[in-house]
Amino acid sequence: GAGVSQSPSNKVTEKGKDVELRCDPISGHTALYWYRQSLGQGLEFLIYFQGNSAPDKSGLPSDRFSAERTGGSVSTLTIQRTQQEDSAVYLCASSSSSSGNTIYFGEGSWLTVV
Amino acid sequence: RKEVEQDPGPFNVPEGATVAFNCTYSNSASQSFFWYRQDCRKEPKLLMSVYSSGNEDGRFTAQLNRASQYISLLIRDSKLSDSATYLCVVLTSGTYKYIFGTGTRLKVLA
């Protein structure tokens, strides 16, 4: 696609429920990132995928968070048993060395846990 | 010490003013540098990459000082539409981890 696409754009969920957030990176971009940003705060790295290599999960805040990337393209971030502190915008980004290592973001998925 | 540090601001400047932001980074192996702009409740968007020799894009000038490990962004003739948060981003050689500063908030006043 022309840009990084994320869905849903907004999600309100009850505490304790599971949520799935989807990211479709720019076509041809091998690197995919998930970040989290709470209101008024900086970007927090969550996880990184590069091609078929094992992902870097070092930024995932707890074992309630997981992510996968199927076929080297679309990625899903799953949050199990959501807590109120999970409320944030979840930003997906992709990059490619052929694009000068510039990282491009999707519009984000705004998650509110009530 | 944070890997990338920025003055959070806010910088409140009148229209037409010139304003400059600095960003310091701690890893001397840092390789690629960028300025991103983030509007309220929007995703970060690339403003410009920062090249070793410095570069200019219209009213925006970016510079890199490797010796002192900082990058700067100069905005000339500020517009109301320049009001946003400006994020400094650093990529270290041989890694894929982009390190984001927490941003400098700019408000251009009429």
Side-chain angles (χ1 to χ4, degrees):
Chain A
V4 179
S5 178
Q6 292 188 244
S7 62
S9 54
N10 286 284
K11 176 74 176 179
V12 180
T13 190
E14 291 182 352
K15 179 180 171 181
K17 294 285 179 71
D18 297 352
V19 296
E20 282 191 356
L21 309 176
R22 175 190 165 103
C23 172
D24 197 347
I26 292 172
S27 179
H29 280 194
T30 56
L32 186 149
Y33 302 77
W34 283 98
Y35 290 86
R36 177 170 73 173
Q37 188 175 33
S38 300
L39 207 57
Q41 302 298 309
L43 275 76
E44 176 188 4
F45 167 79
L46 298 178
I47 189 168
Y48 162 80
F49 295 90
Q50 172 64 275
N52 296 320
S53 302
D56 178 350
K57 305 178 182 181
S58 61
L60 295 178
S62 77
D63 59 8
R64 296 187 296 105
F65 289 73
S66 62
E68 61 178 25
R69 188 179 186 190
T70 53
S73 181
V74 172
S75 175
T76 303
L77 177 69
T78 302
I79 309 172
Q80 295 178 308
R81 304 181 302 282
T82 52
Q83 304 294 312
Q84 287 186 328
E85 62 262 29
D86 299 335
S87 297
V89 58
Y90 290 81
L91 291 160
C92 179
S94 69
S95 71
S96 170
S97 56
S98 62
S99 63
N101 287 324
T102 302
I103 186 170
Y104 296 92
F105 286 88
E107 293 185 349
S109 291
W110 290 83
L111 175 66
T112 303
V113 182
V114 297
Chain B
R1 182 185 172 187
K2 290 182 181 178
E3 291 187 71
V4 175
E5 293 202 63
Q6 295 183 253
D7 182 340
F11 284 60
N12 296 323
V13 302
E15 269 189 292
T18 296
V19 62
F21 312 133
N22 278 347
C23 164
T24 59
Y25 60 94
S26 60
N27 191 336
S28 59
S30 296
Q31 168 194 30
S32 301
F33 307 88
F34 310 87
W35 283 104
Y36 276 71
R37 170 193 170 129
Q38 187 172 27
D39 292 285
C40 188
R41 298 183 68 84
K42 296 287 189 180
E43 76 277 18
K45 293 182 178 177
L46 177 69
L47 178 66
M48 58 198 303
S49 301
V50 185
Y51 302 120
S52 297
S53 55
N55 47 299
E56 188 175 305
D57 183 2
R59 298 182 292 108
F60 299 85
T61 301
Q63 299 217 314
L64 167 64
N65 185 319
R66 286 193 185 274
S68 300
Q69 294 185 198
Y70 74 85
I71 65 172
S72 64
L73 177 68
L74 181 79
I75 305 175
R76 291 181 298 279
D77 189 22
S78 299
K79 312 290 185 191
L80 293 176
S81 57
D82 293 334
S83 298
T85 297
Y86 291 83
L87 303 173
C88 169
V89 185
V90 174
L91 178 66
T92 298
S93 177
T95 77
Y96 47 79
K97 278 194 176 174
Y98 293 81
I99 308 298
F100 287 79
T102 52
T104 297
R105 192 168 162 218
L106 171 66
K107 294 179 74 174
V108 181
L109 308 172

